[in-house]
Amino acid sequence: VTRCSLAGFWKNDLGSNMTIDIFENGTFIGKYLTAVSTTNKTILQSPLVGYQQPTDVPLFGFTVRWSFINSITVFTGQCFLDESGQQVLYTTWLLRSEAQNLQDNWSQTRYGCMVT
Ligand code: B9F
């Protein structure tokens, strides 16, 4: 490949995996299974929707609606080709969880980076 695409199966540095189907115009849908969580609730596969630019090393953004907890994560990043021609995603995320009241709102957004 000389060109990156988000289409297909991915596993990140945490062990989470996702599968993505891309449409003609760069929109995509998929399923996300996180390997990590900090709740007792059973982790379930969760839906995602996103958009990628139609370039050789596309920029992208997508949202996962966690199906097992009232939280949302948005991810944005870029697909690269590494030295061996392997596709790799460098992504930054924001995880929003529920505030019980307006006073707690400030504390309910986490962020981080990952490599997929
Ligand atoms: O653990 C998260 C969570 C949300 C509310 C209670 C528990 C849900 C899973 C998030 C998975 C993140 C990582 N997995 C991955 O592949 S999304 C970004 C990372 N990449 C307590 C309150 C908010 C977090 C913990 Fe919770």
Side-chain angles (χ1 to χ4, degrees):
V1 241
T2 55
R3 202 169 179 280
C4 260
S5 170
L6 266 71
F9 176 86
W10 296 90
K11 195 180 201 110
N12 75 9
D13 49 7
L14 294 166
S16 302
N17 60 60
M18 64 176 178
T19 50
I20 288 178
D21 289 320
I22 308 216
F23 300 100
E24 204 87 317
N25 59 359
T27 60
F28 59 83
I29 60 170
K31 294 182 191 319
Y32 202 101
L33 186 65
T34 181
V36 295
S37 174
T38 50
T39 150
N40 309 330
K41 304 236 174 97
T42 306
I43 295 173
L44 297 175
Q45 191 166 260
S46 301
L48 71 85
V49 296
Y51 222 136
Q52 77 169 31
Q53 290 282 16
T55 55
D56 281 356
V57 284
L59 310 179
F60 60 84
F62 64 89
T63 300
V64 174
R65 180 186 68 76
W66 302 108
S67 57
F68 57 97
I69 191 110
N70 184 17
S71 292
I72 289 273
T73 304
V74 293
F75 299 80
T76 186
Q78 184 167 339
C79 185
F80 291 95
L81 294 169
D82 70 14
E83 320 79 61
S84 60
Q86 275 269 103
Q87 302 182 106
V88 59
L89 307 180
Y90 282 81
T91 305
T92 304
W93 52 263
L94 292 170
L95 166 54
R96 173 67 202 204
S97 47
E98 187 180 7
Q100 292 312 314
N101 51 60
L102 184 50
Q103 284 65 40
D104 286 347
N105 178 61
W106 65 273
S107 64
Q108 297 308 311
T109 309
R110 289 164 164 80
Y111 85 97
C113 297
M114 64 195 211
V115 180
T116 304

